[in-house]
Amino acid sequence: DGDVFKYYAQGHWNKSSSGKSVPIINPSTRKTQFKVQACTQEEVNRVMESAKTAQKSWAKTPLWKRAELLHKAAAILKEHKAPIAECLVKEIAKPAKDAVSEVVRSGDLISYCAEEGVRILGEGKLLVSDSFPGNDRTKCCLSSKIPLGVVLAIPPFNYPVNLAVSKIAPALIAGNSIVLKPPTQGAVAALHMVHCFHLAGFPKDLISCVTGKGSEIGDFLTMHSGVNCISFTGGDTGIAISKKAGMIPLQMELGGKDACIVLEDADLDLAAANMVKGGFSYSGQRCTAVKVVLVIESVANTLVKKINDKVAKLTVGPPEKDSDITPVVTESSANFIEGLVKDAKEKGATFCQEYKREGNLIWPLLLDNVRPDMRIAWEEPFGPVLPVIRIKSVDEGINHCNASNFGLQGCVFTRDINKAMLISDAMETGTVQINSAPSRGPDHFPFQGLKDSGIGSQGITNSINMMTKIKTTVINLP
Ligand code: G3P
């Protein structure tokens, strides 16, 4: 069936025995763009079984060979950036240039991961016993890092390629096998990416990609006894997964309500430029997007004007034309955003632009004078709507930030590095950016959230380490 993209298992492309498919709706046209296989639980069982076997021999494959294959996959991925980016444009309405950047960034991530892996996995540790009281120098403990087994990777719709490879590459270099469950929107881009790994010549069964309905195979995958580690990026589902998963390491990157605190002495042009970039890139559909601006009252008017001047210059339209603001991923997402906007309207927020929506396309909107009783003060729109809360003191800003359920990133704009450091210490978030909008990259930086924003730490090095376990051998001397 040429219309339905096949899923990847046992080293080849397969049709599901379900005979069913899942449609992928183009966010711009709101028509079915592609279809993918609706895999069954039996197919998942088979994939898990073969992933387990394949991992055993992969773990014995020399590290340099694993790295070599990853470098090859990175090169092939970059060579095929155009067709993969085209899928991202059609499936998730990512602006054309950003779609290409996502693929290139992914290739770079894979290569860096291969290089980092050969270094950190290529060395172990030796401990001697006489440093602990009561011991002579009669024991040597050798410790090394061993793979976990089968890693289940579940990336979200907003980076179906990049957030897939940020899980796949560390898992593979560390000697694990991979089962990928891509998001429905973005599944075809992910399948193309998997094809690049296929072309690179990885052993059959080492990498599988199953597609289907979350309701059918979601829990089945995450609760499967064959899974030894889950790396998930997405929303609340992650909280549910962590409650249901077995006793296995979990890496979860969930939502965020990244706050931006702007002090009186800030470079307001720099702050405004970052608010617009941070708040509106990919139409606000990033967990690290600026989701609330907390600005000291005395500079609020100036900052709001500067942001508005930049918002006016944002282009709104189809992703193919590389518009800044493109349709949000689904109709239900657009409806949710609209709900937040209506609530803010009813409660008296100042609308800096008129609210405008056509289908899934929502025009960029800055909401001034937002107050804590409005939903938009706390919830993440995952859309092009940015609330501004005027604050009387830095403490008020910190308190607002720390009262959130989320704690992904935050940022502070000031020319005073001492103040910035104190604020960074006080903000309960995984990362604080000084004088820049929040952002995950560069991809080797640690990336983590506190509270409902997740568990574990990502970034290339941390992900490699997380996907391994320490193994020790103790030599007992006579
Ligand atoms: O929303 C996904 C998150 O990982 C953001 O990544 O690169 O846009 O900061 P980035």
Side-chain angles (χ1 to χ4, degrees):
D1 185 346
D3 289 326
V4 186
F5 280 87
K6 292 174 178 165
Y7 76 99
Y8 186 67
Q10 285 88 44
H12 50 87
W13 297 94
N14 306 275
K15 271 164 80 169
S16 169
S17 61
S18 71
K20 290 187 199 144
S21 63
V22 183
I24 296 166
I25 313 292
N26 181 322
S28 309
T29 63
R30 292 191 289 158
K31 297 206 169 81
T32 300
Q33 181 75 46
F34 302 121
K35 286 180 190 160
V36 291
Q37 306 289 327
C39 290
T40 64
Q41 298 188 350
E42 293 74 62
E43 282 155 352
V44 168
N45 279 336
R46 271 206 295 282
V47 157
M48 288 297 172
E49 205 48 53
S50 47
K52 189 177 174 180
T53 315
Q55 189 270 326
K56 304 266 183 240
S57 44
W58 179 243
K60 294 196 185 96
T61 305
L63 188 50
W64 69 266
K65 273 196 184 170
R66 288 187 234 152
E68 200 173 70
L69 279 171
L70 281 168
H71 280 301
K72 211 167 157 193
I76 297 172
L77 187 69
K78 284 184 176 178
E79 264 168 48
H80 295 87
K81 63 184 181 202
I84 300 175
E86 207 176 304
C87 295
L88 293 172
V89 168
K90 292 194 174 114
E91 291 183 275
I92 60 163
K94 184 163 276 198
K97 275 191 196 142
D98 292 351
V100 174
S101 311
E102 176 173 345
V103 184
V104 174
R105 173 182 179 181
S106 303
D108 291 340
L109 191 159
I110 299 169
S111 298
Y112 190 103
C113 196
E115 288 168 18
E116 184 75 343
V118 291
R119 289 185 198 117
I120 63 175
L121 300 166
E123 61 182 35
K125 208 171 168 187
L126 170 72
L127 295 174
V128 285
S129 49
D130 62 344
S131 48
F132 197 88
N135 284 274
D136 295 326
R137 206 176 172 84
T138 51
K139 288 172 187 283
C140 293
C141 178
L142 303 166
S143 85
S144 61
K145 288 171 184 155
I146 57 166
L148 296 175
V150 179
V151 174
L152 173 62
I154 310 181
F157 82 84
N158 60 353
Y159 287 95
V161 174
N162 184 264
L163 282 170
V165 304
S166 73
K167 304 170 190 315
I168 296 171
L172 292 180
I173 194 68
N176 300 287
S177 58
I178 266 286
V179 175
L180 172 67
K181 162 67 180 74
T184 298
Q185 305 288 140
V188 176
L191 289 169
H192 280 68
M193 175 272 294
V194 168
H195 192 56
C196 297
F197 281 82
H198 172 78
L199 293 174
F202 282 87
K204 134 180 167 348
D205 290 333
L206 187 70
I207 303 167
S208 324
C209 182
V210 290
T211 53
K213 289 201 177 79
S215 57
E216 194 85 17
I217 56 166
D219 278 355
F220 192 74
L221 273 164
T222 54
M223 294 167 76
H224 202 285
S225 60
V227 173
N228 305 112
C229 168
I230 302 175
S231 178
F232 173 93
T233 307
D236 289 351
T237 319
I239 297 176
I241 292 175
S242 52
K243 285 181 182 148
K244 289 183 209 160
M247 197 177 69
I248 53 171
L250 303 176
Q251 188 180 47
M252 298 271 159
E253 190 229 312
L254 313 181
K257 185 72 184 170
D258 293 5
C260 176
I261 301 180
V262 183
L263 304 196
E264 268 167 326
D265 70 343
D267 176 338
L268 295 180
D269 288 308
L270 180 73
N274 275 276
M275 297 308 90
V276 173
K277 187 167 160 265
F280 297 103
S281 334
Y282 188 37
S283 307
Q285 297 173 110
R286 297 163 56 235
C287 37
T288 49
V290 172
K291 300 214 175 91
V292 59
V293 177
L294 301 158
V295 56
I296 294 285
E297 182 71 64
S298 60
V299 290
N301 285 344
T302 317
L303 181 73
V304 165
K305 184 178 176 322
K306 285 179 190 289
I307 298 177
N308 276 328
D309 289 347
K310 290 184 192 300
V311 168
K313 293 193 184 112
L314 293 174
T315 56
V316 181
E320 288 82 358
K321 287 200 177 152
D322 209 35
S323 312
D324 297 314
I325 304 293
T326 56
V328 296
V329 69
T330 56
E331 190 170 344
S332 65
S333 175
N335 292 342
F336 176 78
I337 298 162
E338 186 162 303
L340 293 179
V341 170
K342 278 188 176 156
D343 174 79
K345 179 111 207 162
E346 279 158 23
K347 291 173 183 160
T350 307
F351 278 53
C352 298
Q353 296 78 23
E354 206 183 321
Y355 173 65
K356 191 174 165 192
R357 169 181 173 187
E358 274 171 22
N360 294 1
L361 185 60
I362 293 176
W363 270 250
L365 178 61
L366 188 74
L367 298 175
D368 196 1
N369 297 303
V370 164
R371 287 191 322 265
D373 63 322
M374 299 174 191
R375 287 176 57 202
I376 192 84
W378 305 104
E379 295 179 44
E380 50 170 352
F382 238 68
V385 181
L386 182 59
V388 176
I389 298 180
R390 293 169 176 238
I391 51 171
K392 292 189 178 55
S393 67
V394 172
D395 282 348
E396 192 184 338
I398 292 169
N399 289 342
H400 184 92
C401 167
N402 292 351
S404 171
N405 290 339
F406 294 116
L408 189 58
Q409 294 205 356
C411 60
V412 52
F413 282 83
T414 173
R415 288 190 170 94
D416 185 337
I417 188 67
N418 297 326
K419 277 188 195 158
M421 290 304 292
L422 288 172
I423 292 169
S424 172
D425 271 355
M427 283 171 97
E428 291 166 1
T429 61
T431 299
V432 174
Q433 303 267 353
I434 297 172
N435 292 326
S436 177
S439 144
R440 172 168 48 113
D443 291 330
H444 64 308
F445 280 14
F447 180 53
Q448 56 282 317
L450 306 184
K451 300 190 264 186
D452 285 355
S453 290
I455 49 177
S457 179
Q458 299 174 75
I460 291 170
T461 314
N462 286 344
S463 291
I464 295 173
N465 284 327
M466 183 266 174
M467 291 173 183
T468 61
K469 205 175 170 106
I470 303 287
K471 161 83 186 252
T472 54
T473 302
V474 181
I475 303 170
N476 291 275
L477 304 170

